[in-house]
Amino acid sequence: GTPILIFVAFRNSVVWHIQQFWGASGNFWQNSWDSVYDLFGRNDFLIGVFGTILFCNAVIWGANSLLLILDTTGKPSFLLKYKIQEEKNVPVDKAKLWRCVKVVLFNGFVIGIPFVSVQYYLMKWRGCAFTGELPTFQWVILELIVFSLVEEIGFYYSHRLMHHPRLYKHIHKMHHEWTAPIGIVCIYAHPIEHVMSNLVPMTLGPIIMGSHWANAWMWFFI
C-alpha cells in the first residue's frame, strides 16, 4: 500500500508542475503555431503537405550534417572514438554515399509528397483542424502515448515482414547494404519499404485518434 501511495503522490505532483508550466507557456505554443500557420498563408494543404515535408527533411538533414562531415573528412577526429564500428567507413566511400543521398532525397520528397498528400485528406476526413486552440496538456500526453505505441507496433511488424525471404531479397536487402551504417541511411530503403515501415506506422496513430492536426503534424516531425 505504501509504494502505491508514494507513486500516486509523485504522479500528482509531477502532473501539477507540468500543468503549471504548460499553462504559463500556453500562449507561447499557441502563438508559435499561429505564426507557422500564417507563414503558409493560412492554407491548410500547403502547411499540411509541404510544411510537413520541408520540416521533416530539415530535421533529417540538419541532424546528419555534422555526421556527414565526420564521415567524409574524419574531422573532428576526437569524435571518431564514439563510433560503434570505429574501423568502418572512415572515410566513407564517396560513390556509395552519393547513391545513398540520392535515395534518401527520393524517399524524402518524391515518395514523401504524394504520401503526405493522401495523409492530409485522411486527416481532414477524420475531422482534424489547423486553426483554433491547441489541445490541452492531458490530451497531448494521451496522444503521444497512443502515437508511440501504435508506431512501435506498426514498425516492428512491418519490419519483421520485410525479413520474410520473399520480401528481403527484393526489397529489404537494399537497406542492409550498409553493414556499418551511418546516420543518413536512416531512410535509405526501397520505396516500398519506406512507405510500409517508415511512413505508415507514424501516421496510423493520428488517423486512429483523429487528433488535432497541429499536434499530429508536430508529432510527425518527432
Side-chain angles (χ1 to χ4, degrees):
T2 302
I4 293 177
L5 290 175
I6 294 174
F7 172 77
V8 171
F10 176 76
R11 172 190 171 277
N12 290 341
S13 178
V14 170
V15 170
W16 184 85
H17 284 292
I18 296 178
Q19 284 178 330
Q20 295 302 307
F21 167 76
W22 184 266
S25 61
N27 290 334
F28 169 77
W29 298 114
Q30 185 69 56
N31 292 337
S32 297
W33 174 252
D34 291 338
S35 297
V36 173
Y37 191 47
D38 290 337
L39 181 65
F40 285 86
R42 306 185 72 80
N43 184 300
D44 290 0
F45 184 82
L46 287 181
I47 194 172
V49 176
F50 293 98
T52 298
I53 291 296
L54 291 174
F55 195 96
C56 187
N57 280 278
V59 169
I60 291 174
W61 288 98
N64 282 289
S65 296
L66 176 60
L67 295 177
L68 281 173
I69 295 173
L70 179 66
D71 289 322
T72 54
T73 66
K75 298 177 181 179
S77 58
F78 72 90
L79 291 177
L80 292 175
K81 64 183 179 181
Y82 297 106
K83 288 175 64 72
I84 295 176
Q85 296 167 292
E86 294 184 45
E87 307 301 323
K88 305 286 187 176
N89 292 325
V90 183
V92 69
D93 184 301
K94 299 292 180 62
K96 190 176 180 181
L97 177 61
W98 176 235
R99 181 171 184 266
C100 173
V101 167
K102 289 190 291 185
V103 170
V104 170
L105 287 172
F106 181 85
N107 284 340
F109 291 95
V110 180
I111 300 298
I113 291 175
F115 181 88
V116 177
S117 297
V118 173
Q119 180 202 17
Y120 164 81
Y121 288 108
L122 285 174
M123 296 295 291
K124 293 288 282 187
W125 171 70
R126 290 289 288 132
C128 296
F130 291 83
T131 56
E133 293 185 9
L134 292 177
T136 63
F137 167 74
Q138 292 90 337
W139 189 253
V140 169
I141 295 300
L142 174 62
E143 287 192 336
L144 291 179
I145 292 172
V146 173
F147 293 173
S148 298
L149 291 174
V150 172
E151 193 276 336
E152 287 297 316
I153 294 171
F155 178 78
Y156 172 80
Y157 283 104
S158 62
H159 187 208
R160 185 167 180 169
L161 179 64
M162 288 295 119
H163 279 268
H164 187 283
R166 293 185 179 180
L167 295 178
Y168 182 88
K169 180 179 179 181
H170 302 289
I171 298 177
H172 191 52
K173 185 177 180 180
M174 178 179 177
H175 182 67
H176 285 286
E177 289 174 3
W178 288 78
T179 55
I182 59 175
I184 200 61
V185 305
C186 57
I187 60 172
Y188 174 75
H190 190 285
I192 293 177
E193 178 181 358
H194 181 57
V195 171
M196 291 182 61
S197 292
N198 295 335
L199 297 179
V200 169
M202 282 199 300
T203 62
L204 288 177
I207 291 173
I208 290 172
M209 293 289 288
S211 60
H212 189 291
W213 178 267
N215 194 29
W217 189 66
M218 289 186 284
W219 175 247
F220 187 83
F221 303 148
I222 297 172

